């Protein structure tokens, strides 16, 4: 009994000695946590007090793992933009500082994924694999870090590549009324980047869930999701997510640009972005200006689109090409938001509802569309075959309007109108069917030489397809020459013209026989 008592006593002594040693060696590390509380909750925003050290656009954490951005820093309270479902929040709940700005995961693991602006996956393919995060708001590259835009970004759309060329690093606005094909042009451009070594980021801002699902399904069916990142906010998401979405998508695209890669980003569309910002600003009691938008709405979009550029060789020669989309109302391109973006971007592609109703697709109004980079971002072969095409098309549209009054027209004017109708027929193009560069150049050369003028309008779709097939048969050496040559030499021009003549010969013979039968 005594031996057992001694053993138990030693065990107690050893245990307490160990505890005393651990207690003496322990040095508590105190961490300072600033905690405030909610004063009030409104649609998409919260008023918070008790966080004197918070900074502008710092992340705050709310109960239920809901995050927000400090947007208004006032003396007595903070206006916070909420980034999640806030139905369970109420006045008095605690709010905690996170000590960093809003950021998003970046990296190759995002390619082929559908995510929200916070980097959370929406496609059911498991968690994202990412080793780096970047702030969603970043300074744009300095002027000396940029290079001229001189490399074309082929859209695969004939009317754009020929008449309104887009270069890698350019910002080209797409605008038009509802349901005129704005998203279709952006999707065609994404589809045409297959095997062009261009990564794509599609940012859906406040779109209907069904519309976003259709876009994702199209990208997947066409194999374009393999080189595309999709960033999504739906119409029923909080306005804070719609506000953050384009900045988050741009940070993802910038990561790839800084790796020396060429990236295309589509913002679909910035009308919803501007409205979300207006909603947040008015709820936060910021003073309204024109059309109730706050005065800094121009800065909102300019600091976003200035991040699109072509970096110089020292920084890897990567590029970020931006295609922002804007919705106009009643063809009013002089409204506040459209004029802001027209002045920020390097040109615009305007889609006309009148042309859309006439079945002229894509409904690009060549007279109101422009690329301020122009021929510098166009291959020499295009400049050689499409130099006078825009002028001829614009003249045709003016004369066509005049001819509707029933005036008598001379033979020269009639020929101009007939030639213009062939131009319009050749520039029409089905959705999701981008045309390769060599096929476009063959068709445009045949147009510029007026080879289509002898063909009836009813036969134009088949004749244009025949010329495209002839262009597709060019050898790899000929295609490489068209891509890289400084000018279209006479021998190549003659060879292409002969291909086009051979392809059109059956249609011209049919037209001649029809005329003879009519006589």
């Amino acid at each position: 009994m005594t031996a057992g008592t001694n053993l138990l006593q030693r065990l107690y002594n050893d245990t307490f000695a160990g505890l005393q040693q651990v207690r003496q060696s322990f040095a508590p590390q105190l961490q300072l946590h600033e905690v405030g509380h909610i004063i009030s909750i409104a649609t998409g925003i919260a008023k918070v007090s008790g966080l004197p050290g918070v900074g502008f656009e710092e992340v705050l954490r709310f109960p239920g793992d809901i995050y927000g951005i400090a947007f208004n820093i006032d003396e007595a309270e903070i206006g916070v933009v909420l980034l999640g479902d806030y139905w369970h929040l109420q006045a008095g709940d605690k709010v905690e500082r996170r000590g960093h700005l809003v950021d998003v995961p970046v990296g190759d693991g995002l390619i082929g994924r559908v995510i929200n602006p916070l980097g959370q996956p929406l496609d059911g393919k498991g968690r994202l694999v990412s080793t780096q995060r970047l702030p969603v708001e970043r300074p744009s590259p300095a002027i000396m870090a940029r290079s001229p835009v001189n490399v074309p970004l082929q859209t695969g759309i004939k009317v754009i590549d020929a008449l309104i060329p887009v270069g890698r690093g350019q910002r080209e606005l797409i605008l038009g009324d509802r349901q005129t094909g704005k998203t279709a042009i952006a999707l065609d451009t994404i589809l045409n980047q297959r095997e062009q070594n261009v990564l794509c980021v599609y940012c859906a801002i406040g779109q209907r869930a069904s519309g976003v699902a259709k876009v994702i399904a199209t990208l997947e069916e066409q194999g374009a999701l393999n080189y595309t990142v999709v960033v999504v906010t739906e119409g029923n998401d909080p306005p804070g997510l719609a506000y953050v979405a384009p900045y988050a998508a741009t940070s993802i695209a910038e990561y790839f640009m800084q790796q020396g890669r060429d990236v295309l980003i589509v913002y679909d569309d910035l009308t919803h972005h501007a409205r979300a910002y207006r909603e947040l600003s008015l709820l936060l009691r910021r003073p309204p200006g024109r059309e109730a938008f706050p005065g800094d709405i121009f800065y909102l979009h300019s600091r976003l689109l200035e991040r699109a550029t072509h970096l110089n060789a020292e920084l890897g020669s990567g590029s970020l090409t931006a295609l922002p989309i804007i919705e106009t109302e009643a063809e009013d391109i002089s409204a506040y938001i459209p004029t802001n973006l027209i002045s920020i971007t390097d040109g615009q592609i305007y889609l006309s509802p009148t042309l859309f109703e006439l079945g002229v697709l894509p409904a690009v109004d060549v007279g109101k569309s422009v690329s301020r980079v122009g021929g510098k971002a166009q291959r020499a072969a295009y400049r050689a075959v499409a130099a006078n095409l825009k002028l001829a098309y614009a003249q045709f549209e003016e004369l066509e309007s005049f001819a509707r009054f029933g005036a008598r027209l001379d033979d020269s004017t009639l020929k101009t109108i007939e030639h213009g109708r062939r131009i319009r027929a050749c520039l029409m193009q089905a959705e999701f069917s981008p045309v390769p560069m060599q096929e476009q150049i063959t068709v445009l050369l045949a147009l510029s030489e007026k080879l289509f003028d002898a063909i009836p309008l009813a036969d134009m779709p088949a004749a244009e397809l025949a010329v495209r097939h002839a262009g597709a048969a060019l050898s790899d050496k000929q295609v490489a020459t068209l891509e890289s040559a400084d000018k279209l030499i006479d021998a190549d021009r003659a060879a292409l013209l002969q291909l086009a003549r051979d392809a059109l010969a059956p249609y011209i013979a049919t037209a001649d026989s029809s005329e003879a039968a009519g006589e």
Side-chain angles (χ1 to χ4, degrees), residues 169-233:
Q170 186 174 342
R171 302 156 299 179
E172 185 77 7
L173 178 65
I174 302 172
L175 75 163
D177 285 11
R178 291 184 69 251
Q179 302 296 320
T180 51
K182 301 184 295 297
T183 300
I185 282 184
L187 285 182
D188 277 342
T189 305
I190 291 176
L191 298 183
N192 197 54
Q193 304 316 308
R194 186 188 296 115
E195 299 178 1
Q196 301 292 324
N197 196 27
V198 177
L199 290 174
C200 302
V201 178
Y202 177 81
C203 179
I205 308 169
Q207 301 290 325
R208 294 193 309 271
S210 58
V212 175
K214 184 179 178 181
V215 168
I216 295 170
T218 300
L219 293 174
E220 198 156 16
E221 287 170 8
Q222 302 287 340
L225 202 58
N226 298 330
Y227 53 85
T228 304
V229 181
V230 182
V231 181
V232 174
T233 59

Side-chain angles (χ1 to χ4, degrees), residues 72-88:
N72 273 16
I73 311 295
D74 298 325
E75 186 176 357
E77 63 183 22
I78 302 161
V80 181
V81 172
L82 300 172
L83 302 178
D85 291 329
Y86 49 86
W87 56 269
H88 63 282

Side-chain angles (χ1 to χ4, degrees), residues 245-464:
Y247 297 102
T250 306
S251 288
I252 293 170
E254 278 181 327
Y255 168 82
F256 296 114
M257 177 182 70
Q258 290 168 350
Q259 308 300 313
R261 308 181 73 170
D262 293 314
V263 189
L264 167 68
I265 185 166
V266 175
Y267 305 106
D268 190 10
D269 64 38
L270 292 184
T271 307
H272 292 294
H273 184 237
R275 289 171 182 164
Y277 185 66
R278 175 172 62 183
E279 180 181 351
L280 293 171
S281 299
L282 294 178
L283 286 167
L284 290 169
R285 305 291 178 144
R286 293 187 175 184
R290 180 175 163 186
E291 297 180 23
F293 287 104
D296 62 341
I297 191 76
F298 182 91
Y299 178 59
L300 179 81
H301 288 147
S302 64
R303 74 175 188 261
L304 170 69
L305 293 171
E306 279 298 320
R307 294 163 70 178
T309 188
H310 179 204
L311 296 178
N312 61 28
E314 295 177 0
L315 296 176
S317 297
S319 70
L320 176 55
T321 308
L323 293 181
I325 296 175
I326 275 288
E327 181 183 298
T328 57
E329 296 179 358
E331 304 181 54
D332 184 13
I333 64 174
S334 63
Y336 187 34
I337 300 302
T339 50
N340 276 353
L341 281 152
I342 286 172
S343 63
I344 294 168
T345 51
D346 306 311
Q348 69 271 355
I349 298 168
Y350 176 67
L351 301 180
S352 166
T354 304
L355 292 176
F356 188 87
E357 291 164 5
L358 291 172
V360 180
L361 300 176
V364 176
D365 188 329
V366 174
K368 294 181 181 178
S369 302
V370 66
S371 173
R372 297 189 184 97
V373 174
K376 293 181 180 178
Q378 197 174 35
R379 290 186 171 91
Y382 274 101
R383 294 197 296 272
V385 301
N388 299 320
L389 204 58
K390 188 169 185 177
L391 178 61
Y393 193 35
Q395 287 176 339
F396 151 69
E397 289 184 325
E398 291 292 332
L399 289 172
E400 187 183 41
S401 301
F402 182 71
R404 290 197 185 102
F405 294 106
R408 295 181 61 183
L409 304 174
D410 57 34
D411 291 342
S412 174
T413 303
L414 287 172
K415 286 181 180 178
T416 302
I417 290 176
E418 289 302 317
H419 180 57
R421 286 174 177 160
R422 270 71 182 175
I423 295 175
R424 175 182 285 170
C426 281
L427 294 181
M428 289 172 62
Q429 188 171 332
E431 191 177 14
F432 308 143
S433 56
V435 181
M437 179 269 300
Q438 64 271 25
E439 296 180 25
Q440 289 193 35
I441 290 175
T442 309
V443 170
L444 294 171
L445 181 58
L447 261 182
S448 66
E449 294 295 328
K450 301 187 177 181
L451 300 185
F452 286 104
D453 287 10
I455 297 173
L457 278 174
D459 294 337
M460 279 298 299
E464 188 259 348

